[in-house]
Amino acid sequence: MPFPFLEEGVFCRKTIKGYRELFCFLYRYWGCCLTENTEDSLQQMLEFNHEFKEPLPEKEVIRATKSAEKAWLAKSDIKANEEAIKLGYPGAGYNLKNSKIIEWLDITKEEQIHLQTIIDGNEKRRRKRERDKLAKRKERGSTSREKYLETQSEITKDKLWQLKKVMEKYPNAKQKELAAMLGISDRHLRRLKSQI
């Protein structure tokens, strides 16, 4: 599939109408780049077009995406590549940046969270912060929040069990005495008693 960034369900909330031609154009261009076969990429693009709820007419979509094939052919042309490099481009063909694709397809910040490659600088930095945060936690030997809460829950259950046993054994014991027997503060003892 020529759209490495298109994950199932990401664009299903969007209205594709108005974007179909652009999707087909990009599909055909990247199909040419990946397969290096213009006929195969055309057929794949036509199949992709038929997956829309309202596909574009075949003749229209072939005509509208013809420039994608021309751009790919120019990319393979040594003279066209040299001219593009002289003009400051990395080479002939389409040199699309993520920002341009995001703009063309109106990809929102929320949608970028679910994409793998077509993301802006902000999403890239957010992902790096998350990776760094996890790496630091791992380096320190920190446990996850879920694991911490699970451990604390087990400790609380154990203290509650101990409190019940101590209260059964010493029914007339004062709160300070119970807290001392359990090795906890008066405040913690009150919290535990409220759970009984």
Side-chain angles (χ1 to χ4, degrees):
M1 180 161 146
F3 281 115
F5 64 89
L6 185 60
E7 293 178 2
E8 189 174 326
V10 173
F11 287 97
C12 66
R13 294 180 309 277
K14 282 183 112 46
T15 303
I16 297 296
K17 201 167 187 172
Y19 296 92
R20 294 173 299 174
E21 184 178 310
L22 184 55
F23 268 106
C24 289
F25 167 80
L26 292 171
Y27 202 99
R28 187 170 180 183
Y29 179 69
W30 283 322
C32 287
C33 292
L34 291 171
T35 64
E36 297 185 358
N37 183 330
T38 56
E39 284 301 313
D40 186 43
S41 64
L42 173 63
Q43 288 308 312
Q44 286 183 23
M45 184 271 303
L46 290 172
E47 288 173 22
F48 176 72
N49 178 53
H50 286 293
E51 290 179 22
F52 292 134
K53 283 184 180 179
E54 297 177 38
L56 294 167
E58 192 169 300
K59 285 184 180 180
E60 179 184 337
V61 76
I62 290 171
R63 186 178 27 80
T65 61
K66 183 72 176 160
S67 60
E69 189 176 305
K70 287 181 184 176
W72 177 76
L73 291 170
K75 191 175 194 161
S76 306
D77 184 3
I78 296 169
K79 186 177 178 184
N81 268 325
E82 288 173 358
E83 288 178 30
I85 291 169
K86 284 180 189 175
L87 293 172
Y89 296 105
Y94 290 103
N95 301 294
L96 299 172
K97 294 182 179 179
N98 283 356
S99 58
K100 183 52 79 178
I101 296 169
I102 289 167
E103 178 187 327
W104 281 356
L105 298 176
D106 294 324
I107 300 172
T108 66
K109 303 263 183 234
E110 190 233 19
E111 289 169 331
Q112 288 178 48
I113 291 171
H114 303 284
L115 299 177
Q116 292 178 0
T117 57
I118 304 298
I119 57 174
D120 63 12
N122 292 332
E123 178 60 19
K124 182 179 177 183
R125 287 185 290 279
R126 186 194 69 77
R127 290 180 187 188
K128 182 173 180 355
R129 281 192 305 272
E130 286 295 315
R131 279 193 310 272
D132 292 349
K133 184 176 162 184
L134 288 173
K136 284 180 184 177
R137 287 182 64 85
K138 189 174 182 180
E139 187 179 302
R140 287 191 312 254
S142 301
T143 59
S144 68
R145 176 93 176 130
E146 293 79 24
K147 183 72 174 165
Y148 171 78
L149 291 174
E150 184 181 313
T151 304
Q152 290 305 313
S153 175
E154 290 299 318
I155 291 170
T156 301
K157 286 177 186 175
D158 185 50
K159 285 292 181 188
L160 281 169
W161 180 83
Q162 289 176 14
L163 176 61
K164 287 176 186 175
K165 292 295 179 191
V166 170
M167 286 173 67
E168 286 173 8
K169 192 171 186 178
Y170 304 101
N172 296 329
K174 296 184 182 195
Q175 189 158 320
K176 284 190 179 202
E177 293 170 341
L178 290 172
M181 285 185 238
L182 292 172
I184 59 174
S185 68
D186 289 346
R187 188 176 183 174
H188 190 182
L189 182 70
R190 284 192 300 272
R191 279 194 298 253
L192 288 173
K193 276 186 159 183
S194 71
Q195 294 182 34
I196 294 178

